[in-house]
Amino acid sequence: MNQTYGIVAVSAAVVATLVIGSAGLRISRTTSDFYVASRTVPPYLNAMAISGEYLSAASFLGIAGLVAAEGVEMLWFPVGYAAGYLVLLVFVAAPLRRSGAYTLPDFADARLESRAARRVASVLVVGVGWLYLLPQLQGAGLTLGLVTGAPRWLGGVLVAVVVTLAVAAGGMRSITFVQAFQYCLKLTALLVPAIFLVLAWHGDPRPAGALEEPPTFRRHTQVTVETTVRIRIETPLRAVATGAVDGQGYDNGPLLLDPGVHEVRAGTTLRFPPDTPVPERESDDGRRTGASSWAAPLSGGKDDHPLYTTYGLIFATFLGTMGLPHVLVRFYTNPDGRAARRTTVIVLALVGGFYLLPPLYGLLGRIYAPDLLLTGTTDAAVLVLPERLVGGPGGDLLGALIAAGACAAFLSTASGLTLSVAGVLSQDVLPSLGVRHFRLATLLAVAVPVTVSVAAGNLPVANAVGLAFAVAASSFCPLLVLGIWWRGLTAPGAIAGLLTGGGSALVAVALTIAGPLTDGWAHTLLAWPAVWSVPLGFLTMILVSLATRDRIPAGTEAAMARLHLPERPAGQGAPTTRRGVTTP
């Protein structure tokens, strides 16, 4: 990729974000402006903003990378990400807006009349938000490192600084316009290059098949391994090596490897002749990292129990959407419940259309960028394809456009997450509520994930987001569904369910990242916890609530009426005030 073009494109995306965000200094005056844009955002604008913050690094880069590496089984990610809004539309969108709340902890407090439930919900909102922010910062480092050659940690720090300035400037009102703009940029950044890539693929005199097993290098290919890797080959392999393979040094000399597993040291450069099968990369524990059959929907080359992992992914993505704090907070900005439903329908169309594109990039990445399978950087497939297929100034310009879109993906999602976490911190952690404390909370909301991102190294972008979905599904999905649709929910039941469902999923996520278990059922259950943690959260809430029927809040009937009855027309009835924010 031409670094000059890339730097200009990324800089333009950053400047546009800051300029649009700075408008919030002029139009955000009240606390309500900062938290919920005074609940005046129309459906079409809100839908674009939701789509902008929802389509994160996992959507823009991660899905294509997973499809390229592991095959069509990874299409469950975009299916789940989009279909989650159907569940949100049916069960949550309108009642949540009618609740008068503007954060998930606020909903828990209002529905259950419990400060303890509010505190538990606050801790989980912050945990989910920080867990989701990590892959955004990692993806920013990958993109900006490829575009500019800068160290990977610098990209995450840059995104954190820009997001902090944009959110602190105008809160929800200005971020709404920023995220709507960023959705348009992301869609354009994938759609326009995709047209040229498909034309180049169709005109290729040698259109290789993506379903080849194993994939092959189409031309002379040079691969430099940044970290030590273990590779498995099935047939004798010839290459030219500079570095160390199996402990033996090479200086631009011929390399012949027999079938089996071999170690390639960090910094080694391998040059492969055309039609050479791509060696299969193995993880440190000896498990294969690619799919055993790219076209099989349940191939499960990386996991021991593919059917279970598929259901784990479905549970997490279908149910996790309704528990994502940065998505839910946007429904509080709608004027009423009907507008919230209309917003969700529009989001379904916008998100569904966008998700048609990443799988195409994954398919082309497997054909034209198979070296990424060896280096383990398949998240970069979207970024390198214009240079590989189109080339020349045209390829450089298309690559720069994609880089700008990727930058917008990190900025928009990070902005929404920072806004939701800062809102909770400013209400439940800092001593009082106000704009000054909101801005201080913004710094805290960003500082922790940035520090962890710099220290943690690389995380698989889409997989890390999938873990955040699992935690959200296990905690807030039961709280919202039961809190909205069941009168019998009590504060002890909700607290027990949040701690059991969300806590167990958090523990599973922590153990998965730490990696003490690497294979077998134990590893699979921890890596995909939603199958058991979501039912556990529901069951715990129901059983404990039944055992504490005497603790049903006194205002339950009034709360349920507020959730399900249509709102009064504007101007009728007195407004109510909840924690300093006037609501209709």
Side-chain angles (χ1 to χ4, degrees), residues 486 488-490 493 539-550:
W486 186 40
L489 183 66
T490 65
L539 185 62
T540 302
M541 282 192 188
I542 293 172
L543 293 179
V544 175
S545 294
L546 291 175
T548 56
R549 291 189 184 94
D550 57 326

Side-chain angles (χ1 to χ4, degrees), residues 157-467:
V157 173
L158 175 63
V159 166
V161 171
V162 173
V163 165
T164 301
L165 293 174
V167 172
M172 179 64 80
R173 188 174 288 279
S174 63
I175 287 300
T176 296
F177 294 102
V178 169
Q179 290 173 335
F181 158 75
Q182 288 168 336
Y183 169 77
C184 297
L185 177 57
K186 284 185 283 190
L187 181 62
T188 303
L190 281 190
L191 180 59
V192 172
I195 295 172
F196 288 92
L197 294 178
V198 170
L199 292 175
W201 181 28
H202 180 71
D204 190 341
R206 186 192 168 206
L211 307 185
E212 292 179 347
E213 290 293 342
T216 60
F217 296 109
R218 293 166 47 83
R219 56 179 66 90
H220 286 283
T221 303
Q222 177 174 302
V223 180
T224 299
V225 178
E226 295 183 1
T227 59
T228 299
V229 299
R230 292 164 58 86
I231 59 174
R232 177 185 296 273
I233 59 176
E234 304 297 337
T235 59
L237 182 143
R238 295 180 181 273
V240 177
T242 300
V245 180
D246 292 336
Q248 182 177 348
Y250 294 85
D251 185 10
N252 199 30
L255 173 69
L256 176 61
L257 296 179
D258 295 325
V261 178
H262 302 272
E263 183 182 77
V264 182
R265 301 294 297 175
T268 299
T269 297
L270 301 174
R271 288 182 290 278
F272 299 95
D275 299 321
T276 300
V278 179
E280 184 177 3
R281 181 187 174 104
E282 286 196 344
S283 63
D284 294 336
D285 52 41
R287 291 184 298 119
R288 299 185 178 188
T289 58
S292 57
S293 178
W294 191 85
L298 296 177
S299 54
K302 190 172 69 172
D303 297 289
D304 299 326
H305 307 284
L307 184 59
Y308 174 86
T309 61
T310 301
Y311 281 113
L313 178 57
I314 291 173
F315 268 67
T317 53
F318 276 53
L319 302 180
T321 302
M322 75 169 65
L324 295 178
H326 66 299
V327 171
L328 294 178
V329 73
R330 297 223 59 94
F331 286 96
Y332 305 137
T333 67
N334 282 120
D336 51 43
R338 179 179 298 177
R341 283 200 183 97
R342 290 181 59 194
T343 296
T344 311
V345 172
I346 300 172
V347 169
L348 271 169
L350 296 179
V351 170
F354 180 91
Y355 278 132
L356 296 175
L357 298 173
L360 172 63
Y361 281 85
L363 172 72
L364 297 177
R366 189 170 179 87
I367 300 173
Y368 293 96
D371 51 295
L372 302 180
L373 303 174
L374 181 56
T375 61
T377 56
T378 51
D379 285 339
V382 173
L383 298 167
V384 304
L385 279 172
E387 180 183 5
R388 303 285 179 92
L389 269 77
V390 180
D396 291 335
L397 288 172
L398 293 175
L401 178 60
I402 289 177
C407 184
F410 314 133
L411 291 173
S412 59
T413 302
S415 297
L417 290 165
T418 301
L419 189 67
S420 62
V421 173
V424 171
L425 292 176
S426 64
Q427 294 178 67
D428 300 304
V429 177
L430 297 178
S432 64
L433 182 66
V435 172
R436 189 199 316 179
H437 290 91
F438 174 83
R439 287 170 171 159
L440 180 60
T442 300
L443 293 174
L444 180 59
V446 172
V448 173
V450 166
T451 302
V452 175
S453 175
V454 172
N458 298 326
L459 294 172
V461 173
N463 280 337
V465 170
L467 295 176

Side-chain angles (χ1 to χ4, degrees), residues 497-508:
L498 287 171
L499 293 175
T500 303
S504 61
L506 275 173
V507 170

Side-chain angles (χ1 to χ4, degrees), residues 116-162:
R118 182 188 187 96
R119 286 192 290 270
V120 173
S122 299
V123 171
L124 286 169
V125 165
V126 173
V128 170
W130 282 345
L131 184 63
Y132 208 149
L133 265 170
L134 281 175
Q136 311 312 312
L137 301 176
Q138 293 285 334
L142 170 68
T143 301
L144 297 183
L146 184 63
V147 171
T148 66
R152 287 197 176 185
W153 62 267
L154 183 60
V157 173
L158 175 63
V159 166
V161 171
V162 173

Side-chain angles (χ1 to χ4, degrees), residues 504-547:
S504 61
L506 275 173
V507 170
V509 166
L511 292 176
T512 300
I513 294 175
L517 299 172
T518 58
D519 55 19
W521 266 110
H523 165 76
T524 305
L525 291 171
L526 292 176
W528 304 97
V531 172
W532 54 268
S533 58
V534 172
L536 183 62
F538 271 102
L539 185 62
T540 302
M541 282 192 188
I542 293 172
L543 293 179
V544 175
S545 294
L546 291 175

